[in-house]
Amino acid sequence: MSSTLQTLPQLVLDGLVVGFVYALIAVGYTMVYGVLKLINFAHGDVFMVGAFVGTEVLRALTAGGRPLSPWALLLAAVVAAAAVTALLGAGIERVAYRPLRQAPTLILLVSAIGVSFLLEDLVRLVESIHLGKFVLPVPTVFATVYRIHVAGLQNPLTIRLNSIVVVVASILMMVGLTLFVGRTRPGKAMRAVAEDRTTAALQGIDVNAIIALTFLVGSGMGGAAGALFATQYTLVTPYMGFDIGIKAFTAAVVGGIGNIPGAFLGGILLGVLEQVGGGFIGTKFQNVVAFAILVLVLVLLPSGLLGERVQEGA
Amino acid sequence: MPHLRWARALGASALLAVLLASAACGGGAQPSSGGNSSGLQVIKIATQSPLSGDESVQGIALKNGAALKLKQEYDQFKAMGFDLQLDPQDDKGDPNTGVANAQKLAADSQVLAVVGHLDSGVMIPSEAQYHAAQLPIVSPANTNPNVTSQYKYPEISRICGRDDVQGPVGAIFAKDQLGVKTVFVIDNITAYGTGVANAFKQKAQEIGLQVVGSQSIDKSETDYSNVLTQIQQVKPDLVYYGGLYQGFALMLNQAAVRGIHTKWMGPDGVFSNGLVATAKENAIGVYATSVAAPTNLTPGGQKFIQDYTAEYKENPDPYAIYGYDAMGVVLQGLKDAIQKNGGKLPTRAQVRDAIRAITDYQGALVKVGFDSIGDNIYAGYYVYQITSANASTTGDAKLMAQYNPKGELVSQ
């Protein structure tokens, strides 16, 4: 028992890092749900596209040696990934969701699943033509590793500089998003649309533009998360979005879907539970433990940790 | 507006059609599909391996090896009046896809034999389909004991060894040659990975190694920190990973970051160019047991490397020659069956019996002779160590020891 306790600090630390990534993706689910009441199942694959864009940028910039500092490399990868996926997300909304906006939500859901498959196979096709393979190793950005000796622990805590960067970047994006939604006019409009689309339109808000903006921001954050994730876990595949997408979606639900800080909290909680549960009960039960606890949370708090009671459109 | 919408739908479907067409063209490269205007009778030999997905490096190598052998023997069969064709299937390393493909192949009467499956977990559920259709399949790479031992179908044979010898060979090597005392065993929750890891673990306990921990982690997982934290805590002399190269490579990379210094070992599934490509210098020093003899040490193997490199412009993955020799066995059986049938097109059952009757086929690398359940009586076991980060030659792997079909040390 003491040996499992010995590992606890490291498990929590690793859980936090992956939790912040879940959180960034969960935000995308929750924002889209907020304005459209749609579970955007393609969002996990938008994240995947972001991971590939980030990886390709890093490959290109490190192809002939390393003229750039790691900070510049990471910035370039994340910005490129966010830009591409923001446009991609808005494009998906325009092509796959807007024409179906009057249709029942289930139809939109089917459309989202279709987009999800399309993105996976498109990335597979493009990378196969481009490189002849579609499972790509990711160039290392920050090689620095910190080992912190803590009194009472046999092993030093290992923290990669990369992990710290992932966490800090996530927090910055999160703060930025909160300010954007809470303090700016477009953010206010977004909240208005989420609350009541028809009334918002009557107030002179361009609903289509605001929905597009929501996709732009949510997808961009998902894509940025993809690039960060790629640097952290060193391998990208076209199918990586599915599992992570499901987990981030769960995080969004647990946090209270439609609620942005809730999504963040849910993501971090899921990441930590997964690692700690795996460490105590067995790695193969990692997901089982995490999801069991999450179900329990939902039984006790049906609308999620920070969720208000949302009325489903009848 | 409605017109616009139609136009857009039309445009989208046209785009989709183009994409599908180009994907289909990229899929199978057949020299002369369909038409046999010269009056040749078509015989199709299928391959089943992952051509897409995580395991495609090995799966494509298997298919390429098989395709090369078929190409080389094409003229021989042409002289006998047959148009030999390759029918490559993508099983995606997925049991459902493998079974569906097997049904499709069973329904195509021109398919007389199959070379295939990389994953034991795909092979085993597909076996019933091959058996029902009397369609013989020769496996180049399925090492799980149940592949031949569970149903004992006459259609199922393999040219490689078995995990209930391969796993123990790893344990014996670790104790006798490496002087290891404690081991940590990980598997990737597949028929193959769990099977070989359990065989390793059992033998390790038998011969007095201490198993200080064991964990299972899904093969699609990218974050190994959980299991690494546990390894860091118990500090084993050696970590054994029962699985495929992709997961192993990620684990090695993440272990290096953690500063974990231990010996690493895996079965043939990790012994791939892909491991070195992903893990780079972290792969140096890794031990791998394998059912494949070193390709570059036999004259047949050297010729194979030359031919393969000329054909595909890359060095063969260790699995490629197994696809090549499995196809060799199939074509030998096919030739025997044709001869026995007086030069006429044989039935699947005849091909099946002719393949199983092979007792001493000398391939480019492996010698093949089948016992009553389709295991190769000449299968050997090898332990390699990766010595460089050169991905095009599987890290210039060095042969460390060789074991006979019973798992006894032959040479070091």
Side-chain angles (χ1 to χ4, degrees):
Chain A
M1 203 56 213
S2 70
S3 95
T4 23
L5 279 180
Q6 280 279 333
T7 57
L8 190 60
Q10 182 74 53
L11 291 171
V12 172
L13 210 61
D14 294 329
L16 280 175
V17 178
V18 72
F20 274 96
V21 176
Y22 290 159
L24 280 185
I25 310 168
V27 166
Y29 279 103
T30 236
M31 287 174 69
V32 167
Y33 187 87
V35 295
L36 282 187
K37 301 286 173 283
L38 162 71
I39 295 158
N40 179 13
F41 266 109
H43 190 61
D45 296 290
V46 169
F47 159 83
M48 177 273 294
V49 172
F52 268 87
V53 171
T55 303
E56 286 292 354
V57 168
L58 289 176
R59 282 171 55 92
L61 292 180
T62 56
R66 288 192 173 246
L68 292 168
S69 79
W71 299 99
L73 279 178
L74 187 84
L75 193 68
V78 171
V79 168
V84 171
T85 51
L87 292 177
L88 178 70
I92 291 171
E93 191 272 327
R94 183 71 191 81
V95 175
Y97 303 148
R98 195 180 299 177
L100 296 169
R101 194 163 305 149
Q102 304 311 322
T105 319
L106 273 182
I107 307 288
L108 272 151
L109 194 68
V110 172
S111 184
I113 292 171
V115 171
S116 160
F117 280 118
L118 186 77
L119 288 180
E120 284 176 14
D121 285 336
L122 213 57
V123 168
R124 193 161 70 97
L125 188 70
V126 169
E127 289 294 349
S128 296
I129 293 168
H130 174 44
L131 294 170
K133 58 179 181 182
F134 50 80
V135 178
L136 306 182
V138 185
T140 312
V141 179
F142 297 99
T144 314
V145 178
Y146 302 108
R147 290 183 222 292
I148 303 164
H149 293 268
V150 181
L153 285 188
Q154 289 164 12
N155 290 303
L157 283 180
T158 312
I159 309 174
R160 295 167 62 190
L161 177 55
N162 204 81
S163 315
I164 299 172
V165 172
V166 167
V167 171
V168 171
S170 308
I171 293 173
L172 286 180
M173 277 192 260
M174 209 44 226
V175 170
L177 180 72
T178 312
L179 291 179
F180 173 76
V181 173
R183 301 281 171 83
T184 63
R185 282 179 67 86
K188 209 173 191 180
M190 214 179 263
R191 282 181 287 143
V193 170
E195 203 152 293
D196 188 337
R197 206 188 296 163
T198 320
T199 314
L202 290 173
Q203 308 294 323
I205 292 172
D206 183 346
V207 173
N208 278 338
I210 291 301
I211 290 175
L213 181 68
T214 308
F215 272 85
L216 208 67
V217 175
S219 302
M221 289 188 75
L228 291 172
F229 185 88
T231 64
Q232 184 72 10
Y233 298 106
T234 66
L235 194 82
V236 292
T237 84
Y239 308 106
M240 65 194 280
F242 182 77
D243 274 11
I244 296 174
I246 294 284
K247 286 181 185 171
F249 168 65
T250 311
V253 173
V254 166
I257 191 137
N259 183 302
I260 292 173
F264 218 58
L265 194 64
I268 293 165
L269 187 70
L270 180 59
V272 173
L273 281 178
E274 213 176 63
Q275 286 296 328
V276 174
F280 276 73
I281 297 181
T283 310
K284 76 174 130 183
F285 299 117
Q286 227 171 334
N287 292 339
V288 179
V289 177
F291 279 80
I293 295 175
L294 297 180
V295 167
L296 201 67
V297 168
L298 288 179
V299 168
L300 299 174
L301 299 165
S303 45
L305 292 172
L306 302 182
E308 308 107 56
R309 221 148 272 215
V310 185
Q311 268 171 8
E312 281 290 339
Chain B
M1 278 314 273
H3 307 79
L4 260 179
R5 200 162 280 181
W6 274 111
R8 199 188 309 139
L10 219 64
S13 43
L15 183 71
L16 204 67
V18 171
L19 284 176
L20 286 176
S22 60
C25 290
Q30 289 176 13
S32 59
S33 57
N36 51 338
S37 50
S38 46
L40 296 173
Q41 266 183 303
V42 174
I43 296 179
K44 286 185 193 163
I45 309 293
T47 61
Q48 278 249 60
S49 62
L51 305 180
S52 61
D54 293 349
E55 298 151 22
S56 53
V57 172
Q58 292 158 328
I60 291 171
L62 274 185
K63 186 210 77 179
N64 284 350
L68 180 64
K69 184 69 180 172
L70 186 135
K71 195 178 163 194
Q72 288 173 350
E73 301 223 344
Y74 181 82
D75 288 339
Q76 275 188 44
F77 281 86
K78 198 174 170 190
M80 291 188 267
F82 298 104
D83 176 16
L84 202 56
Q85 293 182 3
L86 187 75
D87 185 2
Q89 301 289 326
D90 178 8
D91 71 22
K92 298 182 181 165
D94 166 49
N96 295 328
T97 314
V99 172
N101 287 351
Q103 284 168 340
K104 197 167 73 184
L105 293 173
D108 181 349
S109 62
Q110 290 180 321
V111 176
L112 291 191
V114 186
V115 168
H117 295 302
L118 174 69
D119 302 82
S120 299
V122 182
M123 177 63 141
I124 294 167
S126 307
E127 288 183 9
Q129 306 298 331
Y130 299 120
H131 179 58
Q134 301 188 321
L135 179 61
I137 174 163
V138 175
S139 165
N142 292 137
T143 47
N144 188 293
N146 286 337
V147 165
T148 51
S149 295
Q150 187 169 1
Y151 303 117
K152 303 190 174 70
Y153 290 140
E155 286 80 12
I156 317 295
S157 314
R158 63 173 147 205
I159 65 169
C160 56
R162 295 162 61 98
D163 288 338
D164 48 6
V165 185
Q166 186 188 185
V169 157
I172 294 167
F173 178 84
K175 177 166 187 268
D176 294 349
Q177 317 302 325
L178 301 179
V180 159
K181 301 227 164 14
T182 54
V183 294
F184 193 104
V185 185
I186 302 168
D187 73 87
N188 73 343
I189 322 185
T190 60
Y192 166 71
T194 309
V196 70
N198 284 341
F200 173 91
K201 191 158 69 177
Q202 213 177 352
K203 188 71 183 181
Q205 282 163 337
E206 254 174 59
I207 59 176
L209 291 175
Q210 199 192 342
V211 180
V212 290
S214 66
Q215 285 295 344
S216 307
I217 181 157
D218 194 272
K219 68 170 184 171
S220 61
E221 189 58 70
T222 47
D223 177 6
Y224 286 81
S225 51
N226 199 276
V227 65
L228 289 174
T229 300
Q230 300 171 48
I231 289 171
Q232 209 167 15
Q233 190 61 32
V234 297
K235 298 193 172 56
D237 295 339
L238 180 133
V239 177
Y240 187 87
Y241 177 77
L244 298 174
Y245 72 90
Q246 196 124 71
F248 194 45
L250 283 178
M251 193 164 75
L252 289 173
N253 286 343
Q254 292 171 21
V257 167
R258 286 291 171 94
I260 294 175
H261 297 290
T262 181
K263 296 185 171 69
W264 300 90
M265 183 187 270
D268 60 324
V270 306
F271 189 52
S272 162
N273 296 351
L275 176 76
V276 189
T278 309
K280 305 214 175 64
E281 58 276 6
N282 298 332
I284 296 173
V286 164
Y287 296 96
T289 59
S290 175
V291 291
T295 312
N296 54 2
L297 293 188
T298 60
Q302 281 163 359
K303 165 117 183 21
F304 168 79
I305 293 177
Q306 274 176 18
D307 292 349
Y308 190 95
T309 315
E311 178 82 16
Y312 300 109
K313 312 281 178 275
E314 61 177 25
N315 279 314
D317 189 85
Y319 273 101
I321 197 162
Y322 267 68
Y324 183 85
D325 278 351
M327 180 59 92
V329 169
V330 163
L331 295 182
Q332 182 62 47
L334 186 59
K335 265 182 266 184
D336 294 348
I338 292 171
Q339 250 169 25
K340 237 179 164 178
N341 206 27
K344 291 199 295 288
L345 185 74
T347 65
R348 282 175 178 173
Q350 286 169 324
V351 178
R352 172 194 72 191
D353 297 341
I355 289 175
R356 186 53 71 80
I358 287 171
T359 52
D360 60 344
Y361 172 83
Q362 181 59 53
L365 183 67
V366 249
K367 193 175 179 192
V368 181
F370 293 119
D371 65 7
S372 62
I373 58 169
D375 277 328
N376 182 4
I377 52 175
Y378 302 109
Y381 300 85
Y382 308 84
V383 183
Y384 295 91
Q385 185 175 28
I386 291 169
T387 59
S388 83
N390 183 352
S392 66
T393 57
T394 319
D396 301 315
K398 187 171 144 215
L399 182 64
M400 303 299 287
Q402 187 177 344
Y403 293 80
N404 72 9
K406 292 199 192 88
E408 294 155 348
L409 185 67
V410 182
S411 67
Q412 295 179 34

